[in-house]
Amino acid sequence: MPLAQIDLPRALFEEKATAIGLELQAAFVEAAGVPPADKFQIFRPREAGELVFDPSYGGVDRQNLIVVQILMVHHHPVDQKRALYRAIVERFVKLGIRKEDILIAVTENGFEDWYGGKLYGE
Amino acid sequence: MPLAQIDLPRALFEEKATAIGLELQAAFVEAAGVPPADKFQIFRPREAGELVFDPSYGGVDRQNLIVVQILMVHHHPVDQKRALYRAIVERFVKLGIRKEDILIAVTENGFEDWYGGKLYGE
Amino acid sequence: MPLAQIDLPRALFEEKATAIGLELQAAFVEAAGVPPADKFQIFRPREAGELVFDPSYGGVDRQNLIVVQILMVHHHPVDQKRALYRAIVERFVKLGIRKEDILIAVTENGFEDWYGGKLYGE
């Protein structure tokens, strides 16, 4: 159960949220072995002044930040994480999102840290 | 200091946020030994299209997702976590929330990862 | 790449978000050795009823909560974290924010848990 939380400019949300959600999930399936139906996404459209960033940190030309936070169980090796980032970036680029504008951050927990609609043992 | 973050449909927020907050805290007290006054909750009402999920993943009939993220110190054994989920679910069900519609995700940190209104040593 | 997420009352956001962002980043630079341009902040203004807390937990007189969540790589020793909290609190106090009203929570991940605008190896 990866949980994706996407903070993004409202204009981008209005225009492309459905496609972003589909491509993000496709990247999870393709690169991280997540079942297609294991899909939980929270979109949080942001107004002007709510997403604050440096436009050039790391030698990257940032213009219109989209932040993808992923909470998932700790069992993906580093190579798989890198493949996941690559898949997300490639798919977002096809939607017209600049790769420089993407920030991805992963946080990990354990299998026992989830309740997904039914209790343990049910 | 558990910090609860609740992303939920706006209609559910408008109708039941106060009761949800009270029951959530009661579950922490009852199942996880949290002091009643140790209460920090962020409600984030979501509009149509902002909560995206599969309606049947895991064999669960999901209709109207409410996401409860809990950030708390790593010192709760697995059995206590399961008791906490059970307590939250049972209490939310009494409010008319379907147990299938609840997603809970725990993230853990350490005691040193909190500042709660006074500095260390004060 | 610390990612800061700030949930705060809308009035405080409207009045002081720019200054809060600047002081928060200055605290990272001063106390945690973060490069000045390594700045990623999400502000989430909250309406009445969305920030729920006990006004006196821990013997603290809380009135108008501002929640600062920090996601950063696990490599800051405890003393540095405490210095960071102190720096944030001192700088926010200069902006007229009460130190009792601040809640800070740190979550940690690894270097491999970030994508910041360019892929590994590029």
Side-chain angles (χ1 to χ4, degrees):
Chain A
M1 266 178 295
L3 172 64
Q5 306 175 68
I6 306 106
D7 286 81
L8 75 177
R10 173 160 306 274
L12 182 58
F13 171 78
E14 303 286 2
E15 204 183 337
K16 297 179 182 171
T18 303
I20 290 171
L22 290 170
E23 295 298 333
L24 181 58
Q25 187 61 15
F28 275 120
V29 173
E30 169 193 319
V34 171
D38 186 357
K39 181 178 183 178
F40 296 95
Q41 303 173 337
I42 304 173
F43 285 90
R44 300 194 184 110
R46 304 260 65 98
E47 314 300 335
E50 295 179 7
L51 284 166
V52 179
F53 57 95
D54 184 276
S56 62
Y57 173 67
V60 170
D61 172 27
R62 249 170 233 102
Q63 298 174 8
N64 200 28
L65 193 69
I66 170 171
V67 180
V68 179
Q69 292 186 74
I70 300 164
L71 177 59
M72 59 185 188
V73 169
H74 176 69
H75 70 135
H76 298 278
V78 172
D79 282 359
Q80 201 177 56
K81 288 180 184 176
R82 287 191 186 130
L84 177 62
Y85 308 151
R86 185 175 296 274
I88 293 172
V89 168
E90 286 176 0
R91 287 171 176 276
F92 280 16
V93 163
K94 278 194 262 176
L95 299 179
I97 298 172
R98 300 169 66 252
K99 71 174 181 177
E100 294 86 352
D101 287 344
I102 304 167
L103 180 70
I104 304 174
V106 168
T107 309
E108 295 180 326
N109 62 4
F111 290 105
E112 72 277 11
D113 291 319
W114 297 89
Y115 165 85
K118 55 184 177 188
L119 290 163
Y120 184 76
E122 280 189 346
Chain B
M1 266 180 295
L3 172 64
Q5 305 175 66
I6 306 105
D7 285 81
L8 74 177
R10 174 162 303 278
L12 183 58
F13 172 78
E14 303 286 1
E15 204 184 336
K16 297 180 182 172
T18 303
I20 289 171
L22 289 171
E23 295 298 332
L24 181 58
Q25 187 61 16
F28 276 120
V29 173
E30 169 193 319
V34 171
D38 186 358
K39 180 179 183 176
F40 296 95
Q41 302 173 336
I42 303 173
F43 284 89
R44 301 194 184 110
R46 304 260 64 99
E47 314 300 336
E50 294 178 7
L51 284 167
V52 179
F53 57 94
D54 184 274
S56 62
Y57 174 66
V60 170
D61 171 28
R62 251 170 232 102
Q63 298 174 7
N64 200 27
L65 193 70
I66 170 171
V67 180
V68 180
Q69 292 185 75
I70 300 164
L71 177 60
M72 61 184 187
V73 170
H74 177 69
H75 71 133
H76 297 279
V78 172
D79 282 359
Q80 200 176 56
K81 288 179 183 175
R82 289 193 186 130
L84 176 62
Y85 308 151
R86 184 175 297 274
I88 293 172
V89 169
E90 286 177 359
R91 287 171 176 277
F92 280 17
V93 163
K94 278 194 262 175
L95 299 179
I97 298 171
R98 300 170 64 252
K99 71 175 181 175
E100 294 87 353
D101 286 344
I102 305 168
L103 180 70
I104 305 174
V106 168
T107 308
E108 295 181 326
N109 62 4
F111 290 105
E112 72 276 11
D113 290 319
W114 296 90
Y115 165 85
K118 54 185 177 187
L119 291 163
Y120 183 76
E122 278 189 347
Chain C
M1 266 177 295
L3 172 64
Q5 304 176 70
I6 306 106
D7 285 82
L8 74 177
R10 171 156 312 269
L12 183 57
F13 171 79
E14 303 286 1
E15 204 184 338
K16 296 179 182 170
T18 304
I20 289 171
L22 289 170
E23 294 300 333
L24 181 58
Q25 187 62 14
F28 276 120
V29 172
E30 170 193 318
V34 171
D38 186 356
K39 181 179 182 176
F40 296 95
Q41 303 173 336
I42 303 173
F43 285 89
R44 301 195 183 109
R46 304 260 63 99
E47 314 300 336
E50 295 179 7
L51 284 167
V52 178
F53 56 94
D54 184 275
S56 62
Y57 173 67
V60 169
D61 171 27
R62 251 171 231 101
Q63 297 174 10
N64 200 28
L65 193 70
I66 171 172
V67 180
V68 180
Q69 292 186 74
I70 300 164
L71 177 60
M72 60 185 188
V73 170
H74 176 69
H75 71 134
H76 299 277
V78 172
D79 281 359
Q80 201 177 55
K81 288 180 183 176
R82 288 192 187 128
L84 176 62
Y85 308 152
R86 183 175 297 274
I88 293 171
V89 168
E90 285 176 359
R91 287 171 176 276
F92 280 16
V93 163
K94 279 194 260 176
L95 299 179
I97 298 172
R98 301 169 65 253
K99 71 175 181 176
E100 293 87 352
D101 286 344
I102 305 167
L103 180 70
I104 304 174
V106 168
T107 308
E108 295 180 326
N109 62 4
F111 290 105
E112 72 276 10
D113 291 319
W114 296 89
Y115 166 86
K118 54 185 177 188
L119 290 162
Y120 184 76
E122 281 190 343

